[in-house]
Amino acid sequence: MEQAFWVQSPGSGQLREERLPEPGPDDVLVRTLCSGVSRGTETLVFRGGVPASQHDVMRAPFQEGEFPGPVKYGYLNVGVVEQGPPHLEGRTVFCLYPHQTAYVVPASAVTPVPDAVPPGRAILAGTVETAVNAVWDARPRLGDRIAVIGAGMVGASVAKLLSGFPATKVQLVDVDPAKADIAAALGVDFSTPEDARGDCDLVVHASASEDGLAKALQLLAPEGEVVELSWYGDRRVSVPLGENFHSRRLVIRSSQVGTVARPDRSYAQRLAVALDLLADPAFEALVSGECMFDDLPSVLPRLAANELSALCLRVMYQPQ
């Protein structure tokens, strides 16, 4: 029998035994090496904050159960194929699967991890994939002045990717001055909201706060655009559309990983891009906490209550 982590009810999690189905000819049996807890989305799920209107939209690919619980939720899993087609057997793969010691999925649901990417960093593939999609949505131009507000996993990843565009000036903005260390590791300028540079052509907002969204609009130059990445769950937010919003012809547009932002790319191609990017060891700065799988029921409540500051919590599994 294998084990999986379930949110039993809002604020409470437990490990459950799972019986795996027999793999078919087109399936793979994967033994998990490590998984990642996406702090924003997964703590929202853990707290029971997914609104009823978004239950279908928020479903993870291999989710079991229903919101608010019991539900098995997660989508950052790296493991080794123990059984499957010959070209995959023994390969380290990434899968959008919850926290579970082993699992059976169609072979098409796993993506081989490049040799240059360690398994412990490959858990970030889902996060970097979201950042890739956001950059495709943002369409930065040569020489743009850019701010990214919110130095969480996604915001920091977006800032890292945008900083690679020629002649751009990118600043990562966060209320926590300690996030300056993460920005430095990623090679990106850092600023608190009070000191952030204005007159931006583009602002990517990823702080999931009203104040952050208001700041994003404030930092824009005329004709500038905010790309909204934040997920607010069941919270209502106020958007300051008075003052200069219309006279400066500002734009707010959404970005969400559920749709590929380029019609010439598939989901698989987007994920492959993300995994290739993770060959850069700078992304390791996003993994700022670690625990064992058996400890998840006690660690998740602390993460949801902000008692732990990890951006991405890496979950390690005992070798079999």
Side-chain angles (χ1 to χ4, degrees):
M1 296 290 285
E2 304 299 335
Q3 285 192 311
F5 175 76
W6 284 70
V7 178
Q8 185 63 19
S9 59
S12 175
Q14 66 175 200
L15 301 182
R16 289 188 182 184
E17 289 191 341
E18 301 275 342
R19 186 178 299 277
L20 300 186
E22 189 65 27
D26 297 320
D27 293 335
V28 288
L29 167 61
V30 180
R31 175 71 53 188
T32 303
L33 296 173
C34 48
S35 60
V37 176
S38 176
R39 182 187 181 99
T41 303
E42 289 198 58
T43 56
L44 184 76
V45 170
F46 186 76
R47 293 192 300 264
V50 180
S53 64
Q54 298 300 301
H55 282 189
D56 289 339
V57 175
M58 282 287 292
R59 285 195 69 87
F62 294 101
Q63 172 182 325
E64 293 183 34
E66 302 295 336
F67 303 118
V71 61
K72 182 171 72 174
Y73 193 86
Y75 47 84
L76 303 175
N77 191 300
V78 175
V80 174
V81 176
E82 290 190 336
Q83 183 179 336
H87 70 284
L88 287 175
E89 278 197 10
R91 292 292 305 271
T92 300
V93 294
F94 174 85
C95 186
L96 297 167
Y97 204 88
H99 310 283
Q100 185 164 311
T101 53
Y103 51 92
V104 173
V105 293
S108 59
V110 302
T111 302
V113 174
D115 293 339
V117 181
R121 194 186 307 152
I123 60 171
L124 296 168
T127 299
V128 176
E129 183 182 13
T130 302
V132 167
N133 207 61
V135 172
W136 285 347
D137 269 327
R139 300 188 296 271
R141 297 165 298 183
L142 188 73
D144 269 358
R145 297 155 297 188
I146 303 172
V148 179
I149 298 179
M153 289 174 63
V154 173
S157 298
V158 170
K160 169 65 175 172
L161 299 187
L162 289 172
S163 68
F165 282 79
T168 56
K169 294 182 179 180
V170 179
Q171 57 182 330
L172 182 57
V173 181
D174 199 277
V175 295
D176 182 3
K179 296 289 181 65
D181 292 339
I182 293 171
L186 296 172
V188 179
D189 289 343
F190 178 82
S191 176
T192 59
E194 297 77 19
D195 297 326
R197 299 187 301 268
D199 208 26
C200 293
D201 305 292
L202 170 67
V203 177
V204 178
H205 179 235
S207 80
S209 69
E210 284 190 11
D211 288 345
L213 181 54
K215 189 66 179 180
L217 291 169
Q218 181 186 338
L219 293 180
L220 285 177
E223 305 278 348
E225 179 174 285
V226 170
V227 174
E228 176 59 278
L229 268 176
S230 300
W231 170 245
Y232 297 94
D234 56 0
R235 290 181 293 133
R236 290 182 175 270
V237 297
S238 297
V239 184
L241 300 183
E243 300 180 356
N244 297 321
F245 181 78
H246 288 86
S247 63
R248 301 177 74 190
R249 297 174 57 82
L250 305 182
V251 175
I252 303 174
R253 64 192 306 260
S254 65
S255 178
Q256 205 273 342
V257 72
T259 300
V260 180
R262 289 182 56 168
D264 60 336
R265 296 292 190 273
S266 66
Y267 287 97
Q269 288 172 321
R270 184 180 65 184
L271 181 56
V273 169
L275 281 165
D276 284 342
L277 287 166
L278 283 168
D280 187 341
F283 283 102
E284 197 71 34
L286 301 183
V287 181
S288 53
E290 190 170 288
C291 76
M292 297 303 297
F293 171 72
D294 290 347
D295 296 327
L296 265 180
S298 61
V299 171
L300 255 293
R302 296 176 61 204
L303 193 68
N306 292 318
E307 294 177 15
L308 299 176
S309 59
L311 288 183
C312 177
L313 179 69
R314 182 160 51 207
V315 182
M316 301 302 296
Y317 291 67
Q318 296 284 2
Q320 299 296 308

